[in-house]
Amino acid sequence: MLWSDPENEPPKELRDMQDMLRRLGVLMALAVVFAMVILGLM
C-alpha cells in the first residue's frame, strides 16, 4: 500500500444518499409505530 493511494472511502454523493436513506428508515419506523398506536386506540 503506497502512501499516495487514494483513500478507500465512498464519494460524497454516496455518503449523502446513505444518510438520507438512514433518516428515511427512521422516519418510516416512527410512522409505523405511530400508526399502530392510533389504530390501537380506535
Side-chain angles (χ1 to χ4, degrees):
M1 183 89 148
L2 297 174
W3 63 271
S4 60
D5 283 349
E7 289 292 323
N8 186 15
E9 121 177 349
K12 185 174 182 343
E13 297 88 19
L14 191 60
R15 279 178 289 157
D16 287 348
M17 196 174 69
Q18 285 173 341
D19 284 345
M20 195 181 68
L21 287 174
R22 197 172 297 122
R23 279 190 219 109
L24 194 63
V26 170
L27 282 176
M28 287 292 288
L30 287 174
V32 168
V33 170
F34 189 67
M36 295 264 191
V37 170
I38 295 297
L39 289 174
L41 293 176
M42 292 179 124

